[in-house]
Amino acid sequence: MDPKNGKVLLGVALDQWVEARAGTVASKTLSTEKYAVKHLGPLRNRPLNAVRSADLDALYGVLLRTQARSTVSRFRNIVSAFFGWAVDQKMIGTNPARMSHVQKGTGQDTKREIWPFTLAELRKAHTDLQTLTSKSNADILLVLGLTGIRWGELSALRVRDVQQLPYPALRVSRSKPGGQPVRTVTKGGSARTVPLPSEVWDIVQPLLDAGKPDAPLFPSATGSNRSGRNWTRDSHYSKVSGGRRVHDLRHTAATLWLQNGVDLKTAQTWLGHSTAKLTADTYSHFMGSDADTSALARMNAVLGAAPQRPPRVTNLQDG
């Protein structure tokens, strides 16, 4: 190893690493890594061979003041991947991140809040989008909001992934992350079948005659797999979302199911979650329980109020 290589500044090497990662990892992964390495800012002007594990330990300590330990641990893994690349490039002889440790911390996790649409809000957004854009763009919002599939899964759907018997459903077995080729596996790691409500089937059925079996079910204007960013822009989604992410459409479907009698295990299967516990932990505060209903009725009786009976939507089409 040329000793001069180790004198390359950390910031310069980081930029080279990020550039090398482009095109080899999913765009979401690359975005996460770009954001993560910004935390190495205090060390960017230091030569690579001058960075010690103690420097990284100190940086983890600073991050733990505001971040959950799991988040900082993921940051350490990204840093270790970078220094591993630097070793492979013969810039340094050892990876200092391997000897670094994330201390126990009490920082808060930064998970984004779930913000689903109600069924009425979803239908209104669908109607509004039809006036702002094409019907095909608007229909995608309804498909996402009533099936719970991820954007990458919708983009990768083919005409032959639609099942008509014994009931209308989507066979979700592939995914297309933004800017990446189609993957023959979903984020959950396994294929699943998602039944289609009549409202969605009315959207999907006419599409079956429009393309060949391997053609995208929801193609772009050029007939290729549809891009999430392009759809968000072309559909004017931000004008009807109320600040919600596209991923909140998946949460919309899940909460509609669980609030209207779909059992937890079935919802887990439709969502493609690895366990029912994950589904319960994610949506428990939207589910309620018979105990909640009974307790509320007792409180209303004590307060002399009329019993409250929140409407349950058992038929998505009738609302």
Side-chain angles (χ1 to χ4, degrees):
M1 185 184 72
D2 188 342
K4 293 181 180 178
N5 292 344
K7 295 182 179 180
V8 173
L9 296 182
L10 175 69
V12 174
L14 277 173
D15 292 341
Q16 293 175 358
W17 178 66
V18 169
E19 184 177 351
R21 298 282 281 173
T24 64
V25 296
S27 59
K28 186 174 181 179
T29 299
L30 184 61
S31 296
T32 300
E33 292 175 346
K34 284 182 178 179
Y35 176 77
V37 297
K38 288 181 180 179
H39 293 299
L40 288 169
L43 304 175
R44 285 184 67 90
N45 293 324
R46 187 176 297 189
L48 271 178
N49 59 10
V51 178
R52 303 287 183 261
S53 59
D55 300 318
L56 299 176
D57 289 343
L59 183 56
Y60 303 152
V62 172
L63 293 176
L64 284 170
R65 297 172 188 170
T66 56
Q67 305 289 328
R69 188 173 188 275
S70 58
T71 302
V72 181
S73 294
R74 288 194 293 272
F75 168 68
R76 178 196 175 278
N77 292 339
I78 292 172
V79 171
S80 183
F82 159 69
F83 279 109
W85 170 85
V87 171
D88 292 340
Q89 298 299 309
K90 300 188 183 303
M91 293 180 174
I92 51 176
T94 58
N95 180 345
R98 285 193 171 185
M99 298 300 294
S100 65
H101 302 282
V102 178
Q103 306 88 350
K104 291 184 179 180
T106 57
Q108 297 299 311
D109 202 344
T110 57
K111 288 183 180 179
R112 299 191 67 172
E113 182 181 4
I114 291 173
W115 190 7
F117 290 83
T118 65
L119 184 58
E121 289 171 337
L122 182 69
R123 286 191 174 141
K124 183 179 186 306
H126 176 244
T127 300
D128 290 345
L129 279 192
Q130 291 187 71
T131 65
L132 292 170
T133 181
S134 64
K135 182 178 183 300
S136 61
N137 271 333
D139 285 346
I140 285 177
L141 176 137
L142 205 59
V143 172
L144 292 170
L146 294 179
T147 65
I149 61 176
R150 303 175 179 93
W151 177 268
E153 295 168 345
L154 178 137
S155 179
L157 282 173
R158 300 160 294 188
V159 170
R160 66 184 176 100
D161 292 325
V162 179
Q163 164 187 303
Q164 299 189 54
L165 295 173
Y167 49 80
L170 297 175
R171 184 62 177 168
V172 182
S173 62
R174 311 191 314 159
S175 181
K176 189 182 186 307
Q180 299 296 313
V182 173
R183 297 179 180 177
T184 56
V185 65
T186 64
K187 183 178 179 181
S190 60
R192 68 187 190 279
T193 299
V194 181
L196 297 180
S198 299
E199 201 164 347
V200 179
W201 177 240
D202 290 342
I203 293 171
V204 171
Q205 188 176 24
L207 303 178
L208 302 183
D209 299 327
K212 297 180 180 180
D214 285 323
L217 183 63
F218 298 99
S220 67
T222 61
S224 59
N225 298 95
R226 196 181 285 259
S227 160
R229 288 185 177 180
N230 289 348
W231 176 79
T232 303
R233 181 196 65 222
D234 296 341
S235 69
H236 305 287
Y237 174 72
S238 62
K239 294 184 179 180
V240 302
S241 66
R244 296 174 180 86
R245 300 166 296 158
V246 172
H247 196 70
D248 282 317
L249 291 166
R250 174 171 166 83
H251 297 317
T252 297
T255 54
L256 283 174
W257 299 337
L258 294 168
Q259 289 172 349
N260 292 285
V262 175
D263 66 89
L264 186 64
K265 185 64 178 178
T266 300
Q268 173 217 331
T269 301
W270 291 355
L271 289 167
H273 282 169
S274 56
T275 65
K277 182 180 184 301
L278 174 58
T279 308
D281 289 346
T282 305
Y283 301 107
S284 59
H285 54 298
F286 287 99
M287 292 166 59
S289 67
D290 291 339
D292 292 332
T293 303
S294 298
L296 182 59
R298 289 188 180 188
M299 288 303 301
N300 282 330
V302 170
L303 297 172
Q308 293 182 351
R309 293 183 178 276
R312 275 184 172 266
V313 182
T314 55
N315 187 313
L316 292 178
Q317 212 164 15
D318 295 339

